[in-house]
Amino acid sequence: DPKNVQELTNYIQSMLQQMQDRFQTMSDQIISRIDDMGTRIDDLEHNLNDLMVQTGGATGANQEETGQKN
């Protein structure tokens, strides 16, 4: 427990720094997960387009719009 103003100030600064560090860690984790989700969505879209091409469900215009090539 802090016993004077300087100790109290140091204690509060330490707590604020810990909170900032935790917030930064959580933010980094969230951004990483969002990036992973974006990659997974891109992969899923690519796989769906491949399936559509294989089943004849995609026309040449659809392939051009999605940037897919045979």
Side-chain angles (χ1 to χ4, degrees):
D1 293 332
K3 296 188 180 16
N4 62 37
V5 174
Q6 184 61 40
E7 285 183 13
L8 180 60
T9 301
N10 291 341
Y11 178 76
I12 291 172
Q13 287 177 339
S14 174
M15 295 300 293
L16 289 173
Q17 184 63 47
Q18 288 177 12
M19 290 173 59
Q20 184 177 358
D21 292 344
R22 289 179 184 160
F23 181 77
Q24 185 63 49
T25 299
M26 289 180 2
S27 295
D28 292 344
Q29 290 174 344
I30 290 168
I31 290 170
S32 176
R33 289 180 182 175
I34 290 171
D35 289 343
D36 290 345
M37 287 174 57
T39 299
R40 291 171 129 184
I41 289 169
D42 290 344
D43 291 344
L44 180 60
E45 182 180 17
H46 178 62
N47 290 335
L48 286 172
N49 285 331
D50 287 348
L51 286 172
M52 289 175 66
V53 168
Q54 290 173 6
T55 60
T59 65
N62 288 343
Q63 291 175 3
E64 288 176 12
E65 290 174 5
T66 60
Q68 298 296 315
K69 296 180 182 177
N70 289 337

